[in-house]
């Protein structure tokens, strides 16, 4: 028995000893081949069980029948024994009657009364009746003996009658003589014969008793052997049939354990051609199917892995390219913006009034281009997984002030009201202050961009351990069906990429990424035509190890 | 000319030109180097009062050049402003670790640059 991880430990322990005996018998005796033969019988399990039970039941019924017959036999024998006993009893009674008869005959000589003579006759009758009974029950070879007794008795009775007559006539001496000369020897003769009968009957009874005892012993031995054989047969049948079931079940158990471990190319082999055989066939089909599925899935996942690797390489190449490009773009931007600023700062001398506007336009668009480059760079770094927050303590008030001072002029230009403030008592935050500022610049910048009139407000407050930033505008609002998409990456937006590129797409996406890197979340509430409010909530103090 | 000397190590000729023109009206004297090794050599030779060091340079990076100058007693105390790039994360920290006195992110505004120069090296 191999240790299966699926088998509970107690089960193995409780099964260990009988299982070991079973295994021993199967391998070291012909029982193994019998078990295989039974397993190989093409018959359903219940038919096999029924056959076994029927066989045992029939043999038990046969044994029951035999027992009944034995009991009947014993009954008749005990009746015969009774009869033999009775015959012995009768013989004794005859002896008794003879003795009394003799006694009364002797008494008649002394008492000479009729009553005693009548007693002699009564005993004589008893003698005759009992003798008739014995004769009736006797064997032919005993009849001669009984005949002799009867004739002797008849003679004795005749002699008694003579003696009685002599007594009545008062001839006592003659009676006495007759008694001594004839009657007494006759009695002795009869007594001897009766003794012979008694002896015979006794012998017969003893013989019979011995033969009955021997027969009983034989029957007992026979029945005991039969019962023992029956028990052995039942055990054998039980063993063979149960193992013809246990073996395939254990095979199936091992097989299923293998399958559960993920070895789908396992097969199960059982000699059974019953339900267990059918089950094993099904299991093999199942494992074949699983193996096929597993193989195709493995090939699929290999293919997927390969594609994924390719995709990752492509994505990394793209990110690297974007990072390099963005860097390369920065250097000329530095010169462009630097020279324009120097021109406007009149480093090169006074700027004619009609040149100031186009120079300012160059500066505005240059800054916008720079922002886009920065966004593309940020996004490519985030995608490549190379964006890291620079965590430090920062003042929320300072962040709000930076945003306010940077964008105030834009609000003024558009004639929009702009309020940016934070709750007074917010303690120092811990996070990437520059990225948080960037997020707010994106949100407030968008709010100013999409509002034609009204006001834009930025408010920060502490809620428990979190900071909640809120940017509200009175702009065009966001249609409900786009609220979900507004933070998704620009790749997922349709053909409006270029428009979104210049607008909110990148900024919002980057903002969302930075908020999430801080362990926070961003959401928007908007009403079409009335305005939008963007919220983001980040921990006041970001967990150092918790940033992704 | 007895103005203070500023060394600008930068390989882009337009940025060099811009700073050259920016400083033309001031009393500062500008000397230039177009790669890291040249920058270190010039600094050791001229011992300027302030060094502007771009972070990405041919031959020797601005950070390595800064480290070398800090290691040399002749230049160890000269203020060095490292001009970083947003392109690589943690540039600010790397510049500080290399021994930069301050850093300025590219693209910088000429106005900011002047402010920073004046802070470290007040004009007479």
């Amino acid at each position: 028995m191999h240790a299966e991880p699926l088998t509970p430990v107690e089960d193995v322990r409780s099964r260990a000893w009988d299982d070991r005996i079973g295994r021993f018998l199967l391998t070291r005796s012909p029982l193994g081949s019998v078990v295989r033969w039974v397993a190989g019988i093409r018959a359903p399990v219940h038919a096999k069980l029924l056959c076994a039970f029927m066989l045992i039941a029939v043999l038990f019924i046969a044994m029951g029948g035999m027992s009944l017959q034995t009991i009947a036999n014993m009954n008749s024998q005990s009746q015969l024994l009774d009869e033999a006993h009775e015959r012995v009893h009768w013989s004794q009674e005859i002896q008794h009657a003879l003795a009394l008869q003799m006694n009364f005959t002797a008494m008649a000589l002394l008492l000479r009364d009729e009553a005693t003579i009548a007693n002699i006759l009564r005993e004589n009758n008893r003698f005759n009746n009992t003798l008739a009974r014995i004769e009736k029950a006797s064997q032919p070879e005993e009849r001669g003996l009984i005949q002799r007794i009867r004739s002797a008795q008849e003679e004795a009775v005749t002699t008694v009658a003579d003696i009685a007559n002599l007594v009545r006539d008062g001839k006592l001496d003659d009676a006495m003589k007759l008694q001594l000369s004839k009657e007494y020897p006759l009695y002795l003769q009869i007594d001897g014969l009766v003794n012979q009968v008694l002896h015979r009957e006794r012998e017969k009874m003893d013989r019979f008793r011995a033969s009955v005892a021997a027969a009983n012993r034989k029957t007992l031995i026979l029945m005991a052997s039969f019962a023992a054989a029956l028990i052995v047969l039942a055990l054998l049948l039980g063993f063979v049939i149960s193992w013809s079931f246990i073996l395939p079940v254990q095979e199936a158990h091992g097989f299923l354990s293998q399958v559960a471990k993920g070895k789908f190319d396992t097969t199960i082999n059982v000699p059974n051609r019953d339900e267990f055989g059918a089950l094993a066939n099904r299991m093999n089909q199942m494992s074949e199917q699983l193996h096929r599925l597993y193989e195709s899935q493995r090939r699929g996942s290999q293919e997927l892995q390969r594609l994924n690797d390719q995709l990752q390489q492509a994505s990394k190449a793209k990110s690297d390219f974007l990072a390099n490009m963005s860097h390369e773009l920065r250097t000329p931007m530095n010169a462009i913006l630097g020279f324009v600023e120097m021109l406007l700062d009149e480093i090169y001398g006074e700027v004619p009034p009609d040149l100031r506007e186009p120079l300012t336009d160059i500066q505005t668009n240059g800054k916008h281009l720079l922002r886009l480059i920065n966004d593309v760079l940020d996004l490519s770094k985030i995608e490549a997984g190379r964006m890291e927050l620079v965590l430090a303590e920062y003042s929320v008030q300072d962040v709000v002030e930076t945003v306010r001072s940077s964008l105030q002029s834009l609000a003024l230009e558009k004639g929009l009201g702009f309020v940016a403030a934070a709750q007074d008592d917010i303690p120092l935050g811990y996070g990437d202050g520059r990225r948080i500022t960037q997020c707010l610049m994106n949100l407030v910048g968008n709010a100013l961009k999409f509002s034609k009139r009204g006001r834009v407000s930025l408010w920060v407050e502490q809620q428990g351990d979190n900071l909640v930033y809120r940017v509200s505008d009175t702009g065009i609002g966001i249609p409900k069906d786009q609220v979900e998409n507004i933070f998704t990456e620009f790749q997922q937006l349709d053909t409006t990429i270029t428009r979104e590129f210049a607008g909110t797409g990148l900024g919002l996406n980057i903002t969302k990424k930075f908020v999430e890197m801080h362990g926070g979340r961003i959401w928007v509430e908007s009403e079409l035509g009335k305005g939008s409010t963007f919220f983001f909530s980040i921990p006041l103090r970001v967990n150092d190890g918790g940033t992704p | 000319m007895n103005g203070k000397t500023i060394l600008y190590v930068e390989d882009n000729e337009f940025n060099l030109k811009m700073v050259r023109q920016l400083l033309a009206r001031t009393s500062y004297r500008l000397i230039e180097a177009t790669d890291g090794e040249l920058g270190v050599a010039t600094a050791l030779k001229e011992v300027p009062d302030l060094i502007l060091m771009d972070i990405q340079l041919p031959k020797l990076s601005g950070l390595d050049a800064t480290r070398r100058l800090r290691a040399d007693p002749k230049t160890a105390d000269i203020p060095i402003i490292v001009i970083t790039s947003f392109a690589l994360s943690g540039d600010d920290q790397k510049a500080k670790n290399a021994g930069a006195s301050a850093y300025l992110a590219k693209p910088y505004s000429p106005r900011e640059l002047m402010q920073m120069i004046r802070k470290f090296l007040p004009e007479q």
Side-chain angles (χ1 to χ4, degrees), chain A residues 323 327 330-331 333-335 337-339 341-342 345-349 370 374 377 381 386 388 390 434, chain B residues 8 10 12 14-15 17-18 21-22 25 56 85-90 92 106-112:
Chain A
H327 181 75
R330 253 173 225 284
T331 306
M333 284 311 296
N334 195 50
L337 290 174
F339 281 121
E341 192 186 300
M342 281 159 69
D345 282 356
E346 302 190 325
I347 302 277
Y348 301 102
L370 179 66
N374 286 341
L377 177 62
K381 275 164 71 182
R386 289 190 293 178
E388 281 165 20
V390 181
R434 207 169 70 188
Chain B
Y8 186 18
E10 161 70 274
N12 182 283
F14 290 102
N15 285 329
K17 190 174 164 188
M18 189 178 84
Q21 292 174 353
L22 182 69
R25 302 215 179 162
Q56 277 205 327
S85 159
F86 270 114
L88 302 162
S89 67
D92 321 349
K106 211 177 189 176
Y108 52 82
S109 136
R111 227 177 286 160
E112 277 179 295

Side-chain angles (χ1 to χ4, degrees), chain A residues 73 371 475:
Chain A
N73 239 349
R371 235 186 355 263

